Amino acid sequence: MIVWLRLAFAFLVLVAATVILLPIQLVGLRFNLKIRRHVPRLWHRVACWGLGLRVRVHGTLETKRPLLLASNHVSWKDIMVLGSVADVVYIAKSEVRGWPVFGILARLQATIFVEREQRQKTGDQVDEIARRMADGEIVVLFPEGTTSDGNRLLEIKTSLFGAAASAVPHAPEGVVFIQPVSIAYTGVHGMAMGRFHRPLAAWPGDIELLPHLLGIAREGAVDVDVDFGERVDYSRSSNRKEVSRTVEARIRAMLGARLRGR
């Protein structure tokens, strides 16, 4: 009964926030106003509060632009968590556009959709990412390409950093700044979340959304730690594989330390 009450409360909170913020965001998208970048942050903050996600931030968001955030990926909740602490846009596979609820929310946040299987469109997609970054938008990349179980960082796909290389010619200083970010689900009701329970917060594989939502609602309060690491500069002379290895090492170190409680 309590689980359903929590879900009902979260639903009502999200509906109220959406009713208030949706018209503003639609106007911002229609006329490409800068306010469209800020409204999603308010919505994500309310969503995190309604679902009981308590977000703690460590480190600071890089102030230089163009900026690409490279983060590990644990769950759909990562979108709300990162979206609640920074004005960001996401890169997502094209299938997400047609998903119920998530697809609509993604479009409202001006998500950049990419079609990985259609190589003839790769150039246009990379150019779109580069243009958005050059325009000052903070783009989030999940370089693992999928979600993990929350206990580790999967292998990073170096090809996904091609967007950074394409944005370099458009950068005022000839440099794109890549900031490693780690997202760690570390506690439930203020108690440390051990390795066994951490997958409760994760959304790997083909787990159905409703049972996963019920699990989150059952817990009621989940602690999430977001670490912003030292940036990596990507210039015309940079080697993509070396940059990706550096970014991977920094994400892995932050995530490992946070999961160990350090």
Side-chain angles (χ1 to χ4, degrees):
M1 182 63 178
I2 293 178
V3 172
W4 291 107
L5 287 175
R6 284 175 177 164
L7 277 178
F9 173 75
F11 177 76
L12 290 174
V13 166
L14 291 177
V15 168
T18 302
V19 168
I20 294 171
L21 297 175
L22 180 59
I24 302 173
Q25 184 65 358
L26 289 175
V27 171
L29 289 170
R30 174 65 179 82
F31 297 101
N32 196 27
L33 303 176
K34 286 192 175 181
I35 194 172
R36 70 169 176 79
R37 303 180 186 179
H38 310 310
V39 171
R41 186 175 184 179
L42 297 176
W43 190 92
H44 287 304
R45 282 186 175 182
V46 173
C48 286
W49 177 75
L51 288 172
L53 298 175
R54 301 186 294 197
V55 183
R56 299 177 297 208
V57 178
H58 311 272
T60 56
L61 179 70
E62 176 60 48
T63 57
K64 290 194 172 184
R65 302 292 182 270
L67 179 62
L68 178 72
L69 300 183
S71 172
N72 65 303
H73 197 14
V74 183
S75 165
W76 53 268
K77 295 183 294 299
D78 301 342
I79 305 296
M80 294 189 298
V81 169
L82 271 182
S84 72
V85 299
D87 299 327
V88 299
V89 295
Y90 296 94
I91 300 174
K93 56 186 180 181
S94 58
E95 299 95 295
V96 174
R97 190 196 302 268
W99 287 5
V101 182
F102 288 111
I104 297 173
L105 293 175
R107 293 196 297 274
L108 286 172
Q109 194 161 353
T111 294
I112 304 169
F113 297 102
V114 296
E115 299 183 38
R116 298 174 183 172
E117 306 303 323
Q118 298 188 31
R119 295 188 178 274
Q120 67 271 23
K121 294 186 178 181
T122 299
D124 292 338
Q125 293 168 166
V126 169
D127 287 344
E128 168 69 5
I129 297 170
R131 183 187 64 77
R132 299 278 288 274
M133 291 175 63
D135 196 37
E137 295 190 63
I138 304 172
V139 176
V140 177
L141 173 68
F142 295 117
E144 294 165 289
T146 186
T147 53
S148 71
D149 62 2
N151 286 314
R152 60 199 172 108
L153 177 70
L154 303 178
E155 182 180 356
I156 278 181
K157 293 176 170 55
T158 62
S159 60
L160 296 179
F161 286 93
S166 296
V168 168
H170 305 282
E173 301 177 31
V175 178
V176 171
F177 305 101
I178 303 175
Q179 186 168 28
V181 179
S182 79
I183 302 174
Y185 294 83
T186 55
V188 179
H189 296 293
M191 302 292 289
M193 184 187 294
R195 183 181 182 86
F196 177 78
H197 293 97
R198 198 168 292 119
L200 290 174
W203 194 39
D206 298 322
I207 297 177
E208 294 293 331
L209 179 59
L210 182 57
H212 182 69
L213 272 173
L214 290 175
I216 294 298
R218 188 176 297 112
E219 300 304 331
V222 175
D223 296 323
V224 191
D225 288 274
V226 178
D227 284 86
F228 288 103
E230 181 184 357
R231 75 166 195 252
V232 179
D233 296 352
Y234 197 119
S235 65
R236 196 181 299 273
S237 61
S238 297
N239 181 286
R240 186 169 65 187
K241 290 186 177 181
E242 290 180 0
V243 169
S244 65
R245 282 196 293 267
T246 300
V247 171
E248 180 176 6
R250 292 181 183 178
I251 297 175
R252 194 180 303 279
M254 291 188 296
L255 180 63
R258 192 61 59 190
L259 293 180
R260 291 192 298 271
R262 297 180 183 176

